[in-house]
Amino acid sequence: NSSKILFLMMMVMGTLITVTSNSWLGAWMGLEINLLSFIPLMSDSNNLKSTESSLKYFLTQALASTVLLFSVIILMLKNNINNEINDSFTSVILLSTLLMKSGAAPFHFWFPNLMEGLSWMNALLLMTWQKIAPLMLISYLNLNNFLMMSVILSVLVGALGGLNQTSLRKLMAFSSINHLGWMFSALMISESIWLIYFLFYSFLSFTLSFMFHSFKIFHLNQLFSWFSQSKIFKFTLLMNFLSLGGLPPFLGFLPKWVVIQQLTFCGQYFQLMILLMATLITLFFYLRICYSAFMLNYYEISWLTNSRYNKLLMNSYLIFSFFSIFGLMMISL
């Protein structure tokens, strides 16, 4: 589809403008180009909820962009007005708008509901690519105390919010919010550590979203009756869940290992304890899903047949899963 390719290129260009901009106004322009090119990508004639999601996304991001622009103007004019402006307050507002754009707590309320109305490929873009520009702008602000509050809230909301979910898209959304807390922690230490974490998280999210997209899986009960004849695919999918949660033998543990090590060196023990406790909760509901899917096998869903299997897709997925499951062992060796 040529129009989708055009909007995808514009979306990439908007993010690159933001990342390479040397002024806040240029960064704002890049964010707007990114927003206006992602909205047409969200529309899907097969999904009735996509229009609602597009409108929610536009309203939320437009509100954040408006406040961002006003904050930037106030910061630019601060030397030209007689009344003294509290710079730290303006910077906190600026950071709040960027947190809203990235979907981090306490400004996360739009994110899970929006994910519910998207296709898996659009959800993947929202979880990964759309976070690059806001996170890069957050790295320019030196507001560690306020960011620390967002880190704690994000990991707790991501952990507790996923406990009672049956929709896989909402589950991935709360997982994304939880990982955002880890990314902010990495960002407070070093941009290179954040980049490592983000790349690994993007790979693991891509592996799961690719599989869900290939088999049109959106809810937990579909997992239980899925691949009753082929246990290897069910096994790899559930191992990928544990890898995303950060269980040690899998690749998902590596970026968390790096962040844990650096936080220990910096003496941030309280922050580390909160992060680890929240990760244990996320691992609990991932393990609960895996346990149920392994123990329960039923065949009520008659429309799930082998005709949907595509050998190329399956081989690609198995390659991605191999790196996800055994990647840490290979890197260690």
Side-chain angles (χ1 to χ4, degrees):
N1 193 327
S2 57
S3 62
K4 291 212 169 187
I5 292 172
L6 173 67
F7 287 125
L8 198 63
M9 288 172 64
M10 283 178 62
M11 187 182 77
V12 172
M13 186 180 72
T15 302
L16 293 178
I17 288 171
T18 301
V19 170
T20 57
S21 174
N22 60 356
S23 71
W24 281 103
L25 196 62
W28 173 79
M29 286 169 58
L31 286 170
E32 290 303 294
I33 293 170
N34 180 275
L35 162 65
L36 293 174
S37 54
F38 185 59
I39 286 172
L41 289 172
M42 294 170 73
S43 60
D44 183 7
S45 57
N46 297 324
N47 189 353
L48 296 175
K49 286 187 178 179
S50 64
T51 310
E52 180 191 348
S53 293
S54 303
L55 187 60
K56 281 180 186 174
Y57 188 70
F58 174 74
L59 291 173
T60 310
Q61 298 292 319
L63 172 66
S65 296
T66 307
V67 181
L68 175 70
L69 186 59
F70 275 111
S71 305
V72 168
I73 291 170
I74 290 171
L75 283 173
M76 285 178 171
L77 294 176
K78 73 180 193 300
N79 296 324
N80 301 329
I81 25 184
N82 297 325
N83 297 328
E84 187 180 345
I85 295 172
N86 190 342
D87 286 347
S88 62
F89 179 70
T90 313
S91 300
V92 165
I93 294 175
L94 191 60
L95 180 60
S96 301
T97 61
L98 294 172
L99 291 176
M100 183 183 283
K101 277 192 165 292
S102 60
F107 309 102
H108 65 282
F109 298 101
W110 60 274
F111 190 56
N113 292 327
L114 185 77
M115 284 274 287
E116 187 64 25
L118 296 181
S119 67
W120 275 114
M121 288 299 107
N122 287 332
L124 178 66
L125 283 175
L126 189 63
M127 286 189 294
T128 55
W129 184 264
Q130 292 299 89
K131 292 192 183 336
I132 295 175
L135 284 167
M136 282 300 294
L137 294 178
I138 286 170
S139 69
Y140 301 150
L141 296 169
N142 189 19
L143 288 167
N144 282 357
N145 290 334
F146 188 73
L147 198 58
M148 175 82 78
M149 184 193 77
S150 180
V151 166
I152 293 169
L153 282 173
S154 292
V155 293
L156 290 177
V157 164
L160 299 174
L163 280 174
N164 59 347
Q165 297 300 325
T166 57
S167 166
L168 287 171
R169 281 173 294 193
K170 278 192 177 179
L171 198 68
M172 293 291 283
F174 281 110
S175 172
S176 181
I177 294 168
N178 180 270
H179 281 281
L180 266 177
W182 282 86
M183 285 185 217
F184 290 149
S185 299
L187 206 56
M188 288 161 68
I189 303 164
S190 158
E191 280 187 29
S192 58
I193 294 174
W194 164 71
L195 189 60
I196 290 168
Y197 195 103
F198 181 80
L199 289 173
F200 278 99
Y201 167 69
S202 300
F203 173 72
L204 296 171
S205 297
F206 169 75
T207 305
L208 280 169
S209 300
F210 176 77
M211 197 55 185
F212 294 147
H213 172 74
S214 301
F215 281 83
K216 305 292 185 289
I217 291 175
F218 299 104
H219 295 279
L220 280 183
N221 60 352
Q222 288 174 270
L223 285 180
F224 299 153
S225 57
W226 184 53
F227 285 142
S228 299
Q229 292 82 20
S230 180
K231 296 291 186 290
I232 182 70
F233 291 123
K234 181 184 273 192
F235 178 78
T236 52
L237 176 75
L238 300 172
M239 292 302 104
N240 282 324
F241 259 128
L242 298 179
S243 183
L244 185 68
L247 202 64
F250 306 118
L251 187 64
F253 177 63
L254 181 63
K256 291 190 175 180
W257 191 2
V258 175
V259 174
I260 289 167
Q261 192 176 19
Q262 294 303 318
L263 284 174
T264 309
F265 288 158
C266 297
Q268 301 282 347
Y269 298 115
F270 174 72
Q271 182 183 353
L272 183 58
M273 184 186 72
I274 298 288
L275 288 170
L276 291 175
M277 283 170 57
T279 304
L280 287 175
I281 298 172
T282 58
L283 274 173
F284 163 70
F285 63 75
Y286 284 144
L287 278 169
R288 190 173 58 180
I289 293 166
C290 297
Y291 183 78
S292 304
F294 277 129
M295 294 297 116
L296 298 176
N297 262 332
Y298 56 88
Y299 304 91
E300 275 88 346
I301 304 176
S302 56
W303 44 261
L304 197 60
T305 61
N306 285 335
S307 61
R308 228 178 246 181
Y309 286 26
N310 182 317
K311 192 170 277 189
L312 179 63
L313 286 178
M314 290 302 95
N315 290 338
S316 306
Y317 167 70
L318 286 175
I319 291 169
F320 297 140
S321 295
F322 176 79
F323 287 115
S324 172
I325 295 170
F326 299 106
L328 183 62
M329 300 176 195
M330 292 190 291
I331 290 170
S332 302
L333 287 172

